[in-house]
Amino acid sequence: LFVNPNNRNPLPLAAVEPPLWLSLMGSHYLEDGKDVQVLDAEAENLSLAQTVASILVSKATEVILVVMGNNPSVSSTPKMPVANALFETLSPHYSRLWLTGMHPMAIGSKSVLNWSPTKCLPLHWELLPMHLYRAHNWHCLDGSPRQPYASIYTSLGCPFDCYYCNIHTLYKDR
């Protein structure tokens, strides 16, 4: 069971982005022939107690808390306290409980899953509750509807050197 912890702003103007890294991990597990479930507590706006209850009801044998959103530095940092609380609450119930994402240093001595993809796979969008995701309001200033919504990584592992790519401006490299 892959879990996206909830620490979002509940206001109706707040965006709700699909957890792409979580979906990418799920795709790799599916490719390896494993059963995959996803609990997007952020999209479902679940409280900590509701998230724990949903995890326990799932009867999953392995739980992976994924602390990373689409914009790693912005969306994963606020999730750390929620992920840590989930980890502490679930620890007595699971021997296979993992925490993964952008902040392994912030995790301390917990079970950290250091995951590196070995190949590029298509995302299994069907794992995610796509009807719950909502675009940022500035994406829709032209009157476009905010739902349905999806986002994509456009440069993850890209081998090209396009002159117009903003990654070069931001990171001075691919």
Side-chain angles (χ1 to χ4, degrees), residues 47-67:
S47 68
L48 184 65
Q50 290 170 320
T51 303
V52 168
S54 294
I55 292 169
L56 294 174
V57 165
S58 76
K59 304 287 189 213
T61 57
E62 181 176 12
V63 177
I64 302 171
L65 305 173
V66 182
V67 188

Side-chain angles (χ1 to χ4, degrees), residues 9 15 60 96 116 122 140 147 149 159:
N9 184 335
R96 294 177 51 140
S116 297
C140 304
Q147 288 178 294
Y149 174 72

Side-chain angles (χ1 to χ4, degrees), residues 38-138:
V38 168
L39 174 60
D40 192 344
E42 187 171 88
E44 295 182 29
N45 200 24
L46 300 178
S47 68
L48 184 65
Q50 290 170 320
T51 303
V52 168
S54 294
I55 292 169
L56 294 174
V57 165
S58 76
K59 304 287 189 213
T61 57
E62 181 176 12
V63 177
I64 302 171
L65 305 173
V66 182
V67 188
M68 182 176 165
N70 288 344
N71 183 340
S73 60
V74 175
S75 58
S76 57
T77 303
K79 289 184 183 185
M80 284 308 300
V82 175
N84 283 326
L86 276 172
F87 193 94
E88 296 305 322
T89 305
L90 293 169
S91 289
H93 304 281
Y94 289 95
S95 60
R96 294 177 51 140
L97 175 64
W98 307 97
L99 197 51
T100 190
M102 287 301 295
H103 295 280
M105 299 302 288
I107 295 169
S109 62
K110 295 177 179 62
S111 296
V112 178
L113 178 63
N114 291 315
W115 180 77
S116 297
T118 55
K119 58 187 167 182
C120 187
L121 293 175
L123 293 178
H124 283 268
W125 295 104
E126 71 276 4
L127 293 173
L128 303 173
M130 294 304 296
H131 66 285
L132 297 177
Y133 300 116
R134 182 173 57 228
H136 298 273
N137 58 353
W138 63 85

Side-chain angles (χ1 to χ4, degrees), residues 2 21-31 36 38 124 127:
F2 290 92
W21 198 250
L22 181 149
S23 181
L24 183 61
M25 290 181 75
S27 294
H28 277 263
Y29 271 58
L30 284 172
E31 181 80 7
V36 174
V38 168
H124 283 268
L127 293 173

